[in-house]
Amino acid sequence: MQYLHLNHPFPLESGQTLDRLTICYTTYGQLNAARDNVVWVAHALTGNADPVEWWGELVGSGRVLDPANYFIVCANMLGSCYGTSGPTHYAPGQSSRYGLEFPLVTTRDMARAHELLSLHLGIDHIYLGIGGSMGGQQLLEWAIEAPQRFEQLCLLATNAKHSPWGIAFNEAQRMALQSDPTLGTDQADAGRAGLAAARAVAMLSYRHYQTYGGSQQEADDQPIDNFRASSYQQYQGQKLWQRFDPAAYWVLSKAMDSHNVGRKRGGVAAALGRITAHTLVVGIDTDLLFPVIEQSEIAEHIPLSRFEVITSDFGHDGFLTETATIKQLLQNFLQVRFNGRKPAPLLNKRLAFRGSYVLPGSEAF
């Protein structure tokens, strides 16, 4: 991990200010002489700055995003607990951590932090920006704010404005956090039970009926208690507690709720219309949290865009699990530009859905 420390105020969209900003990031590969081989990976809600750790089938030696070809950058998002300024950091001049007092941040603030890091690294052109879920939200904000920065985008299972449905799921998780009286205290395991319950709620939005039906069925019809699905929820909650901070979970869920690229830009359609990058938009047919209609909206309004929908039994988490399909789509989308470069062709919007169903007026494959 590497760190950028900016010892000057960082104003936030909320009107609050961070007195200083730290950004944790990783890089793989080398910036080439033309400085046009940058791949910027944006991680999702509880991810970190090392994409090889959580997206190793796509990023790494011999993968479609190979450090031998690309200079790969991934920064921990603002408000997280993996190195970038967030609730686990100490407030300037204070002997205690921010905790739940960390200022409200938005996905737009996160994009502005990425921009500062790119300037520090001497990057003025990004060949590909890629991210799923909240990572895609950050990239949309950045590509709208600095359209000249991106040549291509790959946005997976994301949206242009967080939905009332998504906000409701996040609020249910925050209610679970609040039900834990230790949240925000100095106890060693403060917020543990609340975070575990919140994660159990989240899993129902990340996965799908088919996911549980396929992996959590009982071996026979004998049990009347202690079901596999029950223990799975408990396991997922405890697993997150072991690696994530409850206050950061609170802050980031609030940030996701704030996501609306149309805010103060004349609406979503006008904002997306400012993106000049060739864009691959990928939806997942079983995604309950970010349904494909949200990716369809993105593709409809980004001028140079292509829309693909993949099949998965893993719901929203398909952007992390369906790496073989994503790899194929990404390989087909990327243009080889290192030798004998040619301008990227216009990518037509093609809206495909599971089976033979397509949106009215769209073009089936």
Side-chain angles (χ1 to χ4, degrees):
M1 295 291 178
Q2 303 173 67
Y3 295 88
L4 171 63
H5 301 286
L6 298 172
N7 293 313
H8 56 73
F10 181 73
L12 301 169
E13 192 181 1
S14 65
Q16 297 175 281
T17 299
L18 289 174
D19 291 336
R20 58 177 180 243
L21 176 65
T22 294
I23 302 173
C24 174
Y25 66 100
T26 60
T27 63
Y28 289 94
Q30 300 293 324
L31 191 62
N32 65 9
R35 309 178 75 82
D36 64 356
N37 68 330
V38 176
V39 172
W40 198 289
V41 180
H43 70 76
L45 181 70
T46 62
N48 60 31
D50 188 357
V52 172
E53 179 180 314
W54 48 266
W55 230 1
E57 292 300 312
L58 295 179
V59 182
S61 179
R63 306 303 187 187
V64 62
L65 300 178
D66 192 330
N69 299 323
Y70 302 110
F71 181 53
I72 301 167
V73 183
C74 183
N76 184 221
M77 71 171 78
L78 179 64
S80 184
C81 56
Y82 286 131
T84 293
S85 295
T88 59
H89 282 222
Y90 287 90
Q94 302 296 317
S95 60
S96 60
R97 302 178 191 274
Y98 277 106
L100 295 174
E101 298 303 314
F102 192 76
L104 175 68
V105 299
T106 68
T107 52
R108 197 166 298 178
D109 294 323
M110 294 171 180
R112 290 180 53 246
H114 293 326
E115 175 75 1
L116 290 177
L117 176 59
S118 72
L119 294 175
H120 168 74
L121 295 174
I123 294 170
D124 57 14
H125 176 85
I126 296 173
Y127 171 69
L128 172 69
I130 181 171
S133 192
M134 199 170 183
Q137 292 177 337
Q138 296 165 69
L139 287 173
L140 277 172
E141 281 287 354
W142 194 4
I144 291 166
E145 198 67 24
Q148 76 287 350
R149 184 77 70 223
F150 292 90
E151 184 173 337
Q152 299 182 112
L153 291 169
C154 179
L155 309 170
L156 304 102
T158 194
N159 55 17
K161 176 182 178 180
H162 209 48
S163 67
W165 174 251
I167 293 170
F169 261 114
N170 284 342
E171 184 64 22
Q173 293 173 67
R174 289 189 293 269
M175 290 169 67
L177 283 166
Q178 285 178 308
S179 70
D180 185 340
T182 69
L183 180 68
T185 69
D186 293 330
Q187 287 188 207
D189 61 349
R192 176 175 183 169
L195 181 60
R199 185 62 163 187
V201 172
M203 290 304 299
L204 299 177
S205 68
Y206 298 158
R207 301 295 173 85
H208 189 269
Y209 181 92
Q210 295 163 203
T211 317
Y212 283 82
S215 64
Q216 302 306 318
Q217 287 283 5
E218 301 300 320
D220 54 46
D221 59 2
Q222 300 307 309
I224 60 172
D225 197 3
N226 300 317
F227 295 98
R228 291 185 64 187
S230 300
S231 62
Y232 180 75
Q233 295 298 93
Q234 294 283 345
Y235 165 74
Q236 290 294 339
Q238 295 304 314
K239 181 180 177 183
L240 183 67
W241 158 252
Q242 293 171 0
R243 70 173 182 88
F244 211 78
D245 179 71
Y249 200 82
W250 177 281
V251 167
L252 295 183
S253 73
K254 285 279 191 179
M256 181 179 283
D257 289 353
S258 78
H259 179 63
N260 179 358
V261 300
R263 185 172 53 250
K264 298 182 181 179
R265 291 178 177 143
V268 167
L272 293 176
R274 291 164 58 173
I275 295 177
T276 58
H278 292 259
T279 304
L280 172 63
V281 184
V282 179
I284 302 164
D285 63 349
T286 54
D287 194 337
L288 301 175
L289 186 58
F290 291 72
V292 292
I293 192 66
E294 296 189 332
Q295 292 89 60
S296 174
E297 178 184 37
I298 294 170
E300 179 182 357
H301 296 298
I302 294 178
L304 304 178
S305 62
R306 175 177 177 176
F307 182 29
E308 303 273 5
V309 176
I310 64 176
T311 296
S312 176
D313 287 336
F314 288 90
H316 181 63
D317 275 352
F319 82 92
L320 294 170
T321 63
E322 305 299 337
T323 51
T325 303
I326 294 168
K327 173 186 174 181
Q328 183 177 12
L329 290 176
L330 193 55
Q331 285 178 323
N332 291 340
F333 173 68
L334 292 176
Q335 305 299 313
V336 177
R337 296 164 187 269
F338 299 107
N339 295 300
R341 297 190 302 169
K342 297 180 180 179
L346 176 64
L347 298 174
N348 295 320
K349 299 173 186 176
R350 303 190 295 170
L351 311 184
F353 285 79
R354 193 172 192 172
S356 60
Y357 177 75
V358 294
L359 287 176
S362 67
E363 179 182 334
F365 283 97

